[in-house]
Amino acid sequence: MKSVKNMVAAANEAVDHAPAAEMMALHGQDGVTFVDLRDPRELEREGMIPGAFHCPRGMLEFWIDPDSPYAKPQFQSEDRFVLYCASGWRSALSAQAAQEMGLNNVSHISDGFGGWKKAGGPVGEKPAKKA
């Protein structure tokens, strides 16, 4: 059986990644989309990176695929995508899946939202649901 730790290590060999302290330089730049993969309950509890697009991990592949009935326009752009989760494990696997699906210019925050907060990155509230 392949362990999650081994899967994450393999994903990190295949995709670009950096700690939050380095990724903070990309925050707010045109053409860069931060993607929060965490569960909605995590966003409620801890907030999120301001301006990030929330994509629950379980929907990522469906939202990326332009032929999916669930495709989201955010993933149909030429933006650079910076994925993150709580600690960098889900985002590593997600970035690898996105890259394998043909999403160009994808990377992830290797120490996750926890690293973002520790590095002093801005934190905002979860966006309100649209009526």
Side-chain angles (χ1 to χ4, degrees):
M1 182 170 147
K2 191 173 187 179
S3 72
V4 169
K5 188 175 182 180
N6 289 339
M7 291 174 67
V8 169
N12 278 327
E13 288 180 18
V15 299
D16 290 333
H17 61 282
E22 293 179 29
M23 292 292 199
M24 284 172 44
L26 297 172
H27 186 246
Q29 286 189 14
D30 287 340
V32 177
T33 299
F34 279 73
V35 180
D36 193 320
L37 300 164
R38 296 173 302 144
D39 182 276
R41 291 176 300 253
E42 292 174 280
L43 275 64
E44 291 286 338
R45 253 189 337 262
E46 302 173 33
M48 61 189 295
I49 296 174
F53 172 64
H54 180 233
C55 174
R57 173 60 190 103
M59 294 304 296
L60 180 70
E61 291 84 354
F62 300 99
W63 288 9
I64 289 174
D65 183 352
D67 295 327
S68 165
Y70 303 105
K72 295 287 185 190
Q74 289 86 342
F75 289 116
Q76 311 312 312
S77 74
E78 296 296 320
D79 281 5
R80 174 177 180 172
F81 295 94
V82 179
L83 280 53
Y84 71 93
C85 61
S87 63
W89 287 30
R90 287 174 285 180
S91 60
L93 299 176
S94 298
Q96 184 178 34
Q99 186 172 284
E100 289 172 353
M101 291 181 74
L103 194 66
N104 295 319
N105 212 6
V106 64
S107 58
H108 83 99
I109 299 176
S110 58
D111 54 354
F113 190 64
W116 182 267
K117 291 190 301 184
K118 187 175 182 180
V123 175
E125 292 185 16
K126 176 186 173 190
K129 286 187 177 182
K130 295 178 184 173

